[in-house]
Amino acid sequence: MSSPYLPMSNFATPKAGEVSDYHNWNAEKLAEFFNSKGLGAYSDTLIQHKITGPLAPLLSDDDLKDMGITIVGDRLMFKHYIKQLSRHDRFTNRVKSMWEGEEQLFYSECDKTCITCCGFCPIDPSTYKLTTSHLRVNKVQHTRCGPIPLCCFGATHLSNNIDLSKVDDVDVTGTPAPCLQRVCCCANGKDVVEVDSRFDKEGKVYLTLAQGDGERVTNLILNQVEEAQKMDRGF
């Protein structure tokens, strides 16, 4: 069996939009994809062997031979595009968001009203994003007068992208609201999540969250740390 070959200029990496949902492809849709790459002569073969999108990255050279694809050039083309599907899969998983949050700046609405001058001087919170392989912390550092942020004097924005495979420990500590705010404003405390990485230039990174969120986020980070370290060791 032979197939029309594409010129080398067309032997290109699939665009992200072409393969973004390949996990949902049935055999017919996968055959249509390979047909667009000049391998349409094998459409019936793919459908007959029930090769779907999720199965495509598992195909080996021996599998292709067993399916009757004997021409070396065609098998190389299949392997090229299968490799691209696998690469796209790894990239998608690497950047997939597992959790997003922002810094808990205030203990209560009264606290917020006083510090922001009734909202006329708003304060931007730091933001956090956890993916399968990294924890990204976009930290906002405000000019301060002692413990009070001077929000009208601007702020510095710093971004830290922490490799989860290098994280040593994650802990959470509860910080109660000041006594006066608890009594007068029914203020809640904060949870501070401490992420410790000896390989990170910052050493330790702190996430300040609403009371009750720290334990959940700590468990999410620890789960992804374990998975990232397994991948780093090749498991």
Side-chain angles (χ1 to χ4, degrees), residues 128-144:
Y128 317 121
K129 181 177 180 179
L130 176 68
T131 68
T132 55
S133 60
H134 288 79
L135 174 64
R136 175 169 293 178
V137 179
N138 292 317
K139 188 175 182 180
V140 181
Q141 291 184 326
H142 296 276
T143 303
R144 306 178 81 83

Side-chain angles (χ1 to χ4, degrees), residues 144-158:
R144 306 178 81 83
C145 179
I148 302 174
L150 303 178
C151 41
C152 295
F153 288 84
T156 302
H157 294 254
L158 302 174

Side-chain angles (χ1 to χ4, degrees), residues 194-215:
E194 178 185 308
V195 182
D196 187 7
S197 173
R198 58 187 166 182
F199 295 96
D200 191 80
K201 61 181 180 180
E202 299 292 335
K204 293 183 179 180
V205 174
Y206 299 92
L207 316 183
T208 304
L209 306 173
Q211 186 177 46
D213 288 346
E215 193 71 32

Side-chain angles (χ1 to χ4, degrees), residues 22-183:
Y22 84 90
H23 273 118
N24 299 320
W25 290 357
N26 56 22
E28 288 77 11
K29 178 64 176 177
L30 184 67
E32 181 182 328
F33 168 75
F34 281 116
N35 180 53
S36 71
K37 304 304 176 186
L39 295 165
Y42 301 102
S43 294
D44 290 341
T45 301
L46 292 169
I47 295 171
Q48 177 186 348
H49 288 273
K50 301 180 181 179
I51 306 300
T52 61
L55 295 178
L58 304 178
L59 287 173
S60 65
D61 194 61
D62 287 338
D63 293 328
L64 295 173
K65 290 179 182 178
D66 290 341
M67 291 165 58
I69 304 175
T70 57
I71 298 175
V72 174
D74 288 351
R75 291 205 305 275
L76 290 175
M77 290 181 70
F78 267 110
K79 289 168 67 177
H80 169 77
Y81 289 114
I82 288 170
K83 182 178 180 180
Q84 295 303 324
L85 290 177
S86 299
R87 182 175 298 172
H88 174 79
D89 194 34
R90 290 195 300 272
F91 175 79
T92 301
N93 288 332
R94 188 166 63 247
V95 300
K96 181 181 178 182
S97 177
M98 308 299 293
W99 168 78
E100 294 185 37
E102 63 179 36
E103 180 184 11
Q104 182 72 16
L105 291 170
F106 312 105
Y107 288 106
S108 65
E109 285 299 317
C110 293
D111 189 25
K112 179 178 179 181
T113 300
C114 292
I115 293 178
T116 64
C117 301
C118 297
F120 288 102
C121 295
I123 300 178
D124 294 329
S126 300
T127 58
Y128 317 121
K129 181 177 180 179
L130 176 68
T131 68
T132 55
S133 60
H134 288 79
L135 174 64
R136 175 169 293 178
V137 179
N138 292 317
K139 188 175 182 180
V140 181
Q141 291 184 326
H142 296 276
T143 303
R144 306 178 81 83
C145 179
I148 302 174
L150 303 178
C151 41
C152 295
F153 288 84
T156 302
H157 294 254
L158 302 174
S159 183
N160 191 4
N161 207 23
I162 303 164
D163 185 346
L164 294 178
S165 68
K166 310 301 183 185
V167 169
D168 296 317
D169 194 19
V170 183
D171 294 308
V172 59
T173 304
T175 303
C179 182
L180 184 61
Q181 289 201 45
R182 292 203 306 271
V183 173

